[in-house]
């Protein structure tokens, strides 16, 4: 199956989903409204990357997902990205975008290249806020590269993305046969891979009694899947309960669940884009 390289349909679906969730859940409306602007920028950037004048083919770039960034294509869009963020983001992030815009392009390149090398591997120490700018800007590029890669071999239950080696961001339960099959979604390139249901993706715990699940009343299709052995949790979007959900977007609305998890001493393995 080949994915459309422009990704326009995917981005439109994310934007519509954010609109729908923000209308339903006032507690997440501010973040989701901001996310809509981010996704709209990402859609345009992805179309530019995929254009015939855009990024060279996989053969020219090499087969590694993280082979060097094509800065000639990316950099001309960075200033426009910063001003979009400055205009629409919550105050602290808006200020960070403003500061970044004042720096010379050498600093932009350093920030983008550092994110590109390390993201998805050590993010927890960096934090969602510090990495927001390079992450939101490069997400369409990482997704474009992932769509160009040869299909990863179908290995099941590996703890890092088979395509790029990053940790999972969230889980997804998708309808398969009579029940649901669990997938993990990569925090860097957004690809999914299959993962066993009763199995902690952080430490490998498999005892059901050590793996509590929490569901909040407001969002019955989202689960916190925690682990009492390593004290990490993974947010999992259950598409068998809501087939319209888009895990990447629904996760941004799961604020009550994250609060519950933190109150109970569980940490998130990888922060989402907005750190919610
Ligand atoms: Zn990946
Ligand atoms: Zn664990």
């Amino acid at each position: 199956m080949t994915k459309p390289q422009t990704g326009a349909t995917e981005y439109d679906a994310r934007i519509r989903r954010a609109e729908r969730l923000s209308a339903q859940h006032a507690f997440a409306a501010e973040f989701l409204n901001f996310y809509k602007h981010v996704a709209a920028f990402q859609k345009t950037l992805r179309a530019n990357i995929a254009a015939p004048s855009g990024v060279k083919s996989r053969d020219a770039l090499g087969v590694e997902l993280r082979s060097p960034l094509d800065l000639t294509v990316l950099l001309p869009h960075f200033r426009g990205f910063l001003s979009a963020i400055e205009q629409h983001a919550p105050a602290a992030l808006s200020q960070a975008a403003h500061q970044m815009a004042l720096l010379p392009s050498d600093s932009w390149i350093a920030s983008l290249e550092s994110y590109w090398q390390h993201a998805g591997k050590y993010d927890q120490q960096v934090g969602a806020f510090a990495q927001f700018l390079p992450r939101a800007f490069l997400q369409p590029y990482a997704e474009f590269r992932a769509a160009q890669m040869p299909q990863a071999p179908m290995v099941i239950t590996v703890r890092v993305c088979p395509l790029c080696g990053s940790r999972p961001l969230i889980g997804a339960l998708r309808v398969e046969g009579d029940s649901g099959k669990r997938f993990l979604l990569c925090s860097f390139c957004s690809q999914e891979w299959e993962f066993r249901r009763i199995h902690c993706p952080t430490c490998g715990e498999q005892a059901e009694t050590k793996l509590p699940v929490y569901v909040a009343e407001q969002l019955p299709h989202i689960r916190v899947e925690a682990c009492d052995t390593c004290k990490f949790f993974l947010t999992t979007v259950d598409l068998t309960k809501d087939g319209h959900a888009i895990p990447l977007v629904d996760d941004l609305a799961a604020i009550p669940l994250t609060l519950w998890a933190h109150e109970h001493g569980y940490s998130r393995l990888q922060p989402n884009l907005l750190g919610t």
Side-chain angles (χ1 to χ4, degrees):
M1 191 179 73
T2 51
K3 283 191 180 179
Q5 297 293 306
T6 65
T9 322
E10 273 171 59
Y11 281 105
D12 285 337
R14 289 175 190 175
I15 293 166
R16 277 198 308 275
R17 182 66 181 167
E19 275 165 3
R20 194 191 163 113
L21 287 172
S22 92
Q24 288 170 343
H25 304 293
F27 57 81
E30 188 194 355
F31 281 125
L32 289 166
N33 287 331
F34 169 52
Y35 171 74
K36 264 170 29 188
H37 291 288
V38 175
F41 175 88
Q42 290 179 327
K43 179 187 167 185
T44 309
L45 180 59
R46 172 76 181 258
N48 276 292
I49 292 168
S53 56
V55 168
K56 294 183 277 311
S57 74
R58 166 163 53 87
D59 299 337
L61 287 166
V63 290
E64 290 291 313
L65 193 137
R66 292 186 204 239
S67 55
L69 292 171
D70 194 335
L71 290 167
T72 50
V73 173
L74 292 167
L75 223 47
H77 299 281
F78 197 59
R79 186 173 293 283
F81 167 72
L82 293 175
S83 62
I85 300 305
E86 188 178 346
Q87 206 180 330
H88 299 291
L93 204 50
S94 167
Q95 183 60 22
H98 178 76
Q99 294 299 334
M100 181 66 104
L102 300 175
L103 297 175
S105 60
D106 283 0
S107 305
W108 298 355
I109 294 169
S111 162
L112 295 174
E113 286 186 335
S114 158
Y115 174 80
W116 189 249
Q117 287 307 314
H118 303 296
K121 299 173 176 174
Y122 316 105
D123 293 353
Q124 232 218 344
Q125 288 83 348
V126 181
F129 182 81
Q131 67 172 356
F132 173 84
L133 293 173
R135 184 181 190 183
F137 183 72
L138 290 177
Q139 192 173 45
Y141 186 74
E143 290 180 357
F144 173 79
R145 296 295 326 266
Q148 283 205 318
M149 299 287 287
Q151 285 287 317
M154 208 37 205
V155 273
I156 296 175
T157 310
V158 287
R159 290 184 214 163
V160 294
C161 172
L163 214 51
C164 75
S166 298
R167 288 175 180 154
L169 176 70
I170 40 177
L173 291 177
R174 295 187 181 277
V175 183
E176 183 116 357
D178 296 338
S179 58
K181 215 174 214 180
R182 187 193 201 195
F183 294 84
L184 301 184
L185 187 140
C186 175
S187 59
F188 183 69
C189 75
S190 307
Q191 294 296 293
E192 287 186 5
W193 70 98
E194 200 183 323
F195 201 84
R196 278 221 299 276
R197 285 285 290 264
I198 312 295
H199 194 124
C200 170
T202 309
C203 72
E205 179 60 74
Q206 296 179 54
E208 204 163 354
T209 50
K210 297 272 180 64
L211 301 168
V213 172
Y214 172 76
V215 178
E217 212 176 303
Q218 306 101 307
L219 297 157
H221 71 294
I222 306 185
R223 311 148 55 93
V224 161
E225 297 181 334
C227 175
D228 284 332
T229 303
C230 66
K231 291 285 175 187
F232 279 99
F233 76 96
L234 190 79
T235 305
T236 293
V237 179
D238 187 347
L239 285 105
T240 70
K241 294 205 171 134
D242 184 348
H244 297 294
I246 297 181
L248 201 64
V249 183
D250 285 57
D251 171 45
L252 299 173
I255 298 166
L257 291 145
T258 311
L259 291 175
W260 178 89
H262 287 154
E263 276 165 18
H264 287 76
Y266 301 112
S267 306
R268 186 169 173 145
L269 186 59
Q270 294 282 281
N272 65 30
L273 188 62
L274 303 179
T276 56

